[in-house]
């Protein structure tokens, strides 16, 4: 029976424990360039079995929020090298979450102030984070997107390939494809945001086509053993909706089984919200999803996320229901979360007012266990 604190090998990467830092957007990389403060933040949390970076834009078109990092300029890649070096020196492992926001963006963030792109010209009922002229941050309604021309899609797939290659070249141990939370790949998957009538819309197979073109190029470029993927079958984040999530995501995982990825990361319920959130006419069956994946030969590690506490995480791994558990907010406030979970020690409470934007306050200044009186 495995424990949360046992090592595990996922694909080509061996982890010292099964406690994962989930991707957490913090909006602290001005000009999309990771900086030394970011390096310190990740280094502080390197006792995690695996760090997944905050969502990282593969191009400017894929950028949807102010001050999130990118993977598409020389300066950003140099910045990420500082992060991977610092994490590796501290004995950690780190993968980068590769992100294209699609319609969850704002014209001022887009190349030439243009419209964000999406499978269809359907505006999301969602907001994005902008930085004002005086340096303060605020949330704004996302802009009206334009539908991608069929001829543009191959170019975005190539952007993913380039970004994956760059990620490995700057020292990441692998990549996580962000296919969750109502961003571009998820916008193609969900029928509420994809009304295309070409080969990328309509049937589940067609709506998943873009996802598998991305998985194809990335696994060919860097090897499937360094590739994870995040999905969120029923999250309502960013206005995501599909009435038949079980059928949709069963198709997705059964096809993913062919790739022997390093891991599959599943957000259970509403991202950052209710674990029992439901879309469609019945509760989502996560165990059934994993069983469907395994039944067709899928062997990737299974990573569970959303609202886990120590006891639930321990039980979930000990029972074999998941191989790893990803923690979000607890890692914001507890750089030494692994030790605290292992010792059953109290956790620092996260300060929600400093989640997004700013500097060291609420980012790198949370106390370690030994610093708490
Ligand atoms: C990348 C995000 C996600 O995956 O939900 C995100 C973006 C902005 C705020 C919180 C989270």
């Amino acid at each position: 029976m495995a424990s949360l604190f046992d090592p595990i090998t996922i694909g080509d990467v061996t982890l010292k424990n099964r406690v994962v830092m989930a991707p957490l957007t913090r909006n602290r990389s001005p000009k999309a360039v990771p900086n030394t403060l970011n390096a310190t933040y990740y280094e502080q949390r390197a006792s995690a079995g695996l760090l997944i970076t905050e969502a990282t834009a593969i191009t400017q078109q894929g950028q949807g929020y102010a001050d999130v990092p990118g993977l598409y300029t020389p300066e950003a890649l140099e910045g990420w090298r500082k992060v991977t070096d610092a994490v590796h020196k501290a004995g950690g492992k780190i993968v980068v979450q590769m992100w294209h926001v699609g319609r969850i963006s704002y014209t001022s963030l887009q190349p030439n102030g243009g419209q964000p792109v999406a499978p269809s010209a359907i505006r999301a009922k969602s907001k994005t984070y902008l930085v004002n002229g005086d340096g303060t941050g605020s949330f704004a309604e996302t802009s009206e997107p334009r539908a991608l021309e069929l001829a543009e899609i191959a170019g975005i797939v190539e952007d993913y390939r380039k970004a994956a290659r760059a990620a490995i070249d700057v020292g990441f141990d692998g990549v996580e494809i962000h296919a969750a939370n109502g961003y571009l790949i998820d916008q193609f998957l969900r029928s509420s945001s994809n009304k295309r009538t070409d080969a990328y819309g309509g049937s589940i197979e067609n709506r998943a086509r873009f996802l598998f073109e991305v998985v194809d190029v990335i696994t060919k470029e860097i090897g499937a053993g360094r590739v994870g993927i995040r999905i969120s079958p029923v999250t309502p984040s960013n206005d995501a909706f599909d009435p038949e999530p079980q059928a949709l995501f069963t198709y997705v995982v059964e096809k993913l089984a062919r790739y022997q990825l390093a891991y599959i990361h599943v957000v259970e319920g509403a991202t950052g919200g209710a674990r029992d959130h439901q879309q469609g006419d019945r509760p989502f069956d996560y165990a059934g999803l994993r069983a469907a994946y395994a039944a067709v030969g899928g062997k990737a590690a299974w990573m569970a996320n959303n609202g886990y506490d120590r006891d639930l995480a321990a039980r979930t791994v000990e029972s074999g229901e998941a191989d790893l558990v990803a923690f979000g907010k607890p890692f914001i406030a507890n750089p030494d979360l692994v030790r605290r979970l292992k010792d059953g020690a109290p956790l620092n409470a996260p300060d929600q007012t400093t989640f997004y934007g700013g500097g060291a306050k609420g980012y790198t200044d949370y106390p370690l266990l030994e610093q708490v009186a």
Side-chain angles (χ1 to χ4, degrees), residues 178-262:
H178 194 343
N181 296 344
Y183 295 110
L184 183 64
I185 295 176
D186 207 16
Q187 290 160 28
F188 271 96
L189 289 172
R190 312 288 194 98
S191 57
S192 67
S193 43
N194 181 349
K195 303 299 183 189
R196 297 183 75 95
T197 56
D198 60 16
Y200 291 87
S203 67
I204 285 176
E205 182 184 4
N206 279 0
R207 285 185 275 125
R209 192 178 307 281
F210 178 64
L211 164 62
F212 286 101
E213 288 178 353
V214 170
V215 173
D216 266 342
V217 288
I218 291 177
T219 51
K220 285 191 178 92
E221 182 67 28
I222 66 171
R226 292 195 174 280
V227 181
I229 187 166
R230 195 185 209 202
I231 55 177
S232 52
V234 299
T235 196
S237 292
N238 295 307
D239 205 12
F241 179 79
D242 191 281
E244 296 181 323
Q246 201 77 41
L248 172 58
F249 286 92
T250 297
Y251 173 85
V252 166
V253 298
E254 285 179 344
K255 193 159 181 179
L256 285 174
R258 304 176 194 170
Y259 292 88
Q260 299 315 333
L261 300 180

Side-chain angles (χ1 to χ4, degrees), residues 56-59 70-72 77 96 98-99 157-170 172 175 218 221-222:
T56 298
I58 60 167
T59 55
L71 257 179
Y72 56 90
L77 296 178
V96 61
M98 299 174 58
W99 193 27
V157 173
E158 173 61 6
D159 290 339
Y160 273 101
R161 185 197 64 75
K162 282 185 206 155
R165 170 44 54 203
I168 301 301
D169 291 350
V170 294
F172 282 106
V175 304
I218 291 177
E221 182 67 28
I222 66 171

Side-chain angles (χ1 to χ4, degrees), residues 38 114 189 248 334 347:
N38 304 151
L189 289 172
L248 172 58
N334 300 276
L347 304 186

